[in-house]
Amino acid sequence: MKLRETYANCKAKEYNNLKEFFVQNVEFSKENVPNKIEEISNSSRVWLLFASLDKNDWKCLQVAHSKNGVQSEIKDVIEFLFCNAYQNAENISYTNSAFYEKVCPKTTNEPYRRLLYSKIGSEYKYFRICFLDVDKYLGTKPDNDSLKSDSERIIQICKNQYAEAKIAYQTLAVYWRLCSSGIDGQTIAYIAGHFTEFEE
């Protein structure tokens, strides 16, 4: 995998550098698929998918946020990881992700998410889905019913999308894509012009 030119000098943070910000992890493998998705908390809207071949080197492959809870989205992701949608890889072309060149599978025959996670499932053996404590990660206050100012409301409206983009950048999440006109895209555009502000 080749980083896009803008990010060629960036170094990804590893799982151990970020684990203090995760409120829950779901770990599984091809031999041990989780069956208790109901136990996943809906308290976090931002989640990350790490994968490994050996349980030692964990690579962040995807970051996302769910507007209305994560349980159903994670259930789909796990199902797609173990489906066979990617079995005819020779007919697939690839597009850029936010940070890497030509890594995202492109085809007209399968829905993108199904194809992507099937690809991931075919390439890795161990998986870890982590749920981000957005307020701890950003140093913001939890949602409450008594927001009194526009700045407080703006933070509550935008913080999950901002956190998604920031941690996607920090981990250089391989398959993460952005909406350039959304908060995530604007965040990445800002980061690309201010790298030094995000060096920690």
Side-chain angles (χ1 to χ4, degrees), residues 53-198:
L53 292 170
D54 59 8
K55 281 191 166 183
N56 292 315
D57 182 29
W58 290 92
K59 189 162 195 66
C60 185
L61 301 181
Q62 184 66 293
V63 178
H65 89 277
S66 303
K67 188 173 182 180
N68 297 314
V70 299
Q71 286 182 5
S72 61
E73 188 167 349
I74 296 305
K75 187 175 181 179
D76 287 346
V77 167
I78 293 170
E79 177 187 326
F80 296 159
L81 282 169
F82 302 109
C83 75
N84 293 320
Y86 190 70
Q87 59 189 352
N88 296 319
E90 66 275 0
N91 300 323
I92 297 172
S93 59
Y94 296 86
T95 60
N96 294 344
S97 69
F99 309 115
Y100 290 88
E101 293 182 7
K102 299 194 182 306
V103 293
C104 297
K106 181 181 176 184
T107 180
T108 56
N109 299 333
E110 288 282 352
Y112 174 72
R113 290 177 67 240
R114 181 178 165 87
L115 183 64
L116 171 65
Y117 291 112
S118 177
K119 176 183 189 303
I120 292 169
S122 72
E123 294 173 349
Y124 291 89
K125 185 174 181 181
Y126 302 101
F127 306 93
R128 183 181 279 164
I129 297 176
C130 306
F131 300 88
L132 184 66
D133 182 333
V134 170
D135 290 312
K136 184 175 182 181
Y137 176 63
L138 296 179
T140 55
K141 295 178 182 176
D143 294 356
N144 62 55
D145 296 327
S146 59
L147 300 175
K148 295 182 173 64
S149 70
D150 283 335
S151 61
E152 290 176 315
R153 287 186 283 273
I154 289 167
I155 290 170
Q156 294 308 319
I157 291 166
C158 301
K159 69 181 179 181
N160 289 294
Q161 295 92 328
Y162 176 83
E164 175 194 351
K166 180 181 176 186
I167 204 162
Y169 161 70
Q170 287 187 316
T171 59
L172 294 175
V174 175
Y175 298 106
W176 187 75
R177 301 188 306 179
L178 53 83
C179 174
S180 55
S181 61
I183 294 164
D184 54 347
Q186 293 176 49
T187 301
I188 292 299
Y190 182 88
I191 289 171
H194 302 84
F195 281 130
T196 56
E197 292 180 24
F198 293 85

Side-chain angles (χ1 to χ4, degrees), residues 3 10-15 17-18 59-60 100 168-173:
L3 281 166
C10 297
K11 183 165 173 41
K13 286 197 171 193
E14 297 179 2
Y15 169 82
N17 301 126
L18 297 164
K59 189 162 195 66
C60 185
Y100 290 88
Y169 161 70
Q170 287 187 316
T171 59
L172 294 175

